[in-house]
Amino acid sequence: MSLQYHLKIKEGDVAPYVLLPGDPKRVPIVASFWDEAHFVADSREHVTYTGVYKGVPISCTSTGMGCPSTAIAMEELARCGVKNFIRIGTCGTFQDHVHPGDIQIFDSACRYDGTSYHYAPGPFPAVANHEVVQA
């Protein structure tokens, strides 16, 4: 397999499980909590580390800002064998009882973007795999 154009990764560089923060500066911070971690690539807004956490191979790739760059990252990661994508990081809310710094685990999201409509029809829900959320 050839090197992916935007992420500068290839098959074997990443684990089947990938954490996806937006900000590239967060990737080495996330990787610092793993049992093993090594730098893989840095290209534009996409930084990738791969390692092991509690015996499980894991990677972390920044997606940059917004849905279009996230779609690019996920497509290239999928071409390299990634099976589980887990978005981590900040998000917006419409609920007054949620405050900055609160930790939330979401199982779905509102699709107020343009990119996701190229992957699924408008009314199709953006819902996470229940087994992944439970894990």
Side-chain angles (χ1 to χ4, degrees), residues 18-101:
V18 176
L19 303 175
L20 301 169
D23 188 340
K25 294 180 197 139
R26 291 187 183 137
V27 176
I29 295 168
V30 169
S32 73
F33 289 95
W34 300 345
D35 303 322
E36 302 171 27
H38 67 274
F39 169 82
V40 175
D42 182 347
S43 177
R44 301 178 184 196
E45 68 266 35
H46 305 291
V47 173
T48 300
Y49 275 66
T50 292
V52 176
Y53 181 70
K54 294 187 178 183
V56 178
I58 192 165
S59 294
C60 186
T61 298
S62 55
T63 60
M65 189 168 48
C67 295
S69 63
T70 300
I72 290 169
M74 291 179 71
E75 286 188 22
E76 292 190 1
L77 286 163
R79 284 188 210 118
C80 292
V82 175
K83 301 295 183 197
N84 294 279
F85 300 90
I86 302 169
R87 165 74 174 118
I88 62 171
T90 57
C91 67
T93 182
F94 299 113
Q95 300 176 349
D96 293 334
H97 69 276
V98 179
H99 304 290

Side-chain angles (χ1 to χ4, degrees), residues 82-130:
V82 175
K83 301 295 183 197
N84 294 279
F85 300 90
I86 302 169
R87 165 74 174 118
I88 62 171
T90 57
C91 67
T93 182
F94 299 113
Q95 300 176 349
D96 293 334
H97 69 276
V98 179
H99 304 290
D102 285 355
I103 296 175
Q104 304 288 324
I105 298 175
F106 295 98
D107 63 358
S108 58
C110 297
R111 292 177 52 209
Y112 298 134
D113 70 287
T115 304
S116 67
Y117 291 87
H118 295 280
Y119 294 91
F124 193 84
V127 178
N129 179 296
H130 185 68

